[in-house]
Amino acid sequence: MSRRRQIYEGKAKILYEGPEPGTLIQYFKDDATANNAEKRGTINGKGVINNRISEHVFTRLSHIGIPTHFIRRLNMREQLVRQVEIIPLEVVLRNVAAGSLSKRLGIEEGEPLPHTLIEYYYKDDALGDPMVAEEHIACFNWASHEEMHDISSMAIRINDFLVGMFAGINIRLVDFKLEFGRLYDGDYSRVILADEISPDGCRLWDMATGEKLDKDRFRRDMGGEEEAYREVARRLGLLQGEDNQPGEVLDLSSHRSRLRGTPPKK
Ligand code: TMP
């Protein structure tokens, strides 16, 4: 039996050579990091849940015409994807003030923004992924003007779609991160959505209670991250036997108690 070739190992995923040229296998780990890998840990079962959630989100996005790297899920922790050249930018969309925006500008977390903000961060761990302007992106040739036009228009469409999708399951999409890559066809390339969309790279708040259902539980040592990730998957109808109707109003009291680590009230 031959061992498959590892192409890249990141903080939460490993990429292996795929079965055909131009494909890769994306493996989802349980490892979690925060604050540019200053905090490290694992979230039990996270890889399995994120694989399912990302499959679901990328499939839904492809149905509205967003080109993505996703081909198909292979098993619990792996999916087959198209090989792309990753554009070295983290594209962050914000609907509500939170996280680094609140810290940097002194805006209270939870304040709805008058319109969606799009921000760019240069992907460089050694520099701590600094925020950059489109001027820097053009100046250092990280992406062309045309590519940035495609990225920003896709990002806004993705945000509009996902805000509605999550609202349908009583979740507020506060902010999230996207990555894009170049898919080559001979001398030409086009930009497609890559990486993953999961509670690792989104802020997801329960609409009724404000409960955090994302990686902030890990970043802020709140506990209950496994349950929070499972709750998102369950509401999306991705956990067998535990799915609910989209839009159904849920009684979260027992979940809230579990998320806080206290037994549910009888
Ligand atoms: P921030 O408030 O820390 O800048 O993060 C904004 C959103 O983008 C949040 O949902 C987390 C996500 N994000 C990542 O997943 N990875 C990153 O490297 C950055 C900068 C943000």
Side-chain angles (χ1 to χ4, degrees):
M1 218 165 71
S2 65
R3 210 175 126 81
R4 62 187 174 177
R5 198 160 68 91
Q6 184 176 310
I7 306 283
Y8 171 82
E9 176 157 11
K11 293 169 207 147
K13 294 189 292 296
I14 303 173
L15 292 174
Y16 296 100
E17 198 170 54
E20 291 132 38
T23 65
L24 295 175
I25 293 168
Q26 181 165 256
Y27 175 95
F28 288 76
K29 301 193 280 187
D30 284 350
D31 297 354
T33 60
N35 301 332
N36 202 24
E38 273 171 35
K39 177 178 159 85
R40 287 170 185 276
T42 56
I43 302 175
N44 271 334
K46 171 172 85 77
V48 175
I49 296 278
N50 282 357
N51 189 19
R52 279 299 273 121
I53 292 176
S54 203
E55 172 196 20
H56 179 80
V57 174
F58 275 58
T59 303
R60 300 277 307 263
L61 289 173
S62 73
H63 292 163
I64 62 155
I66 302 290
T68 86
H69 75 159
F70 179 79
I71 301 173
R72 66 174 182 277
R73 187 166 60 85
L74 297 171
N75 55 47
M76 298 272 278
R77 286 185 184 270
E78 294 177 331
Q79 49 183 243
L80 186 66
V81 300
R82 273 177 254 280
Q83 183 162 28
V84 294
E85 179 182 273
I86 287 287
I87 293 170
L89 297 173
E90 313 223 316
V91 179
V92 170
L93 283 291
R94 298 181 188 272
N95 301 302
V96 177
S100 70
L101 177 81
S102 292
K103 214 181 225 174
R104 205 170 48 242
L105 301 180
I107 302 169
E108 200 179 335
E109 281 214 321
E111 186 78 23
L113 299 172
H115 64 82
T116 300
L117 277 177
I118 184 165
E119 298 173 343
Y120 303 103
Y121 294 82
Y122 179 53
K123 266 170 72 75
D124 186 318
D125 284 342
L127 297 175
D129 296 343
M131 183 157 79
V132 293
E134 286 199 58
E135 293 281 289
H136 300 98
I137 298 167
C139 184
F140 300 111
N141 211 18
W142 294 323
S144 69
H145 182 73
E146 205 180 6
E147 286 172 334
M148 289 311 291
H149 175 270
D150 290 348
I151 286 173
S152 58
S153 56
M154 269 192 266
I156 294 294
R157 283 193 67 208
I158 293 168
N159 181 61
D160 287 349
F161 179 79
L162 293 186
V163 164
M165 189 190 84
F166 282 114
I169 52 169
N170 296 309
I171 290 176
R172 174 171 297 143
L173 178 59
V174 170
D175 55 34
F176 64 106
K177 186 256 310 186
L178 298 172
E179 292 190 28
F180 293 87
R182 294 182 188 100
L183 184 67
Y184 281 94
D185 182 6
D187 287 344
Y188 293 92
S189 73
R190 66 186 176 114
V191 174
I192 68 172
L193 181 65
D195 193 49
E196 68 177 298
I197 298 179
S198 73
D200 268 7
C202 302
R203 285 199 174 90
L204 303 169
W205 295 355
D206 180 82
M207 273 196 174
T209 63
E211 199 78 68
K212 295 184 197 310
L213 300 172
D214 56 59
K215 203 167 113 182
D216 269 351
R217 300 200 78 88
F218 172 80
R219 293 188 191 100
R220 301 179 187 192
D221 296 318
M222 298 168 77
E225 40 273 49
E226 286 103 354
E227 289 90 340
Y229 280 54
R230 281 185 68 80
E231 177 65 10
V232 175
R234 193 186 68 78
R235 290 194 201 183
L236 287 169
L238 304 177
L239 297 186
Q240 271 179 354
E242 293 182 47
D243 51 346
N244 64 288
Q245 293 302 309
E248 186 183 334
V249 178
L250 289 159
D251 174 9
L252 279 165
S253 53
S254 64
H255 287 284
R256 274 208 302 285
S257 306
R258 270 201 285 129
L259 291 172
R260 294 204 182 100
T262 51
K265 283 198 186 80
K266 286 278 171 327

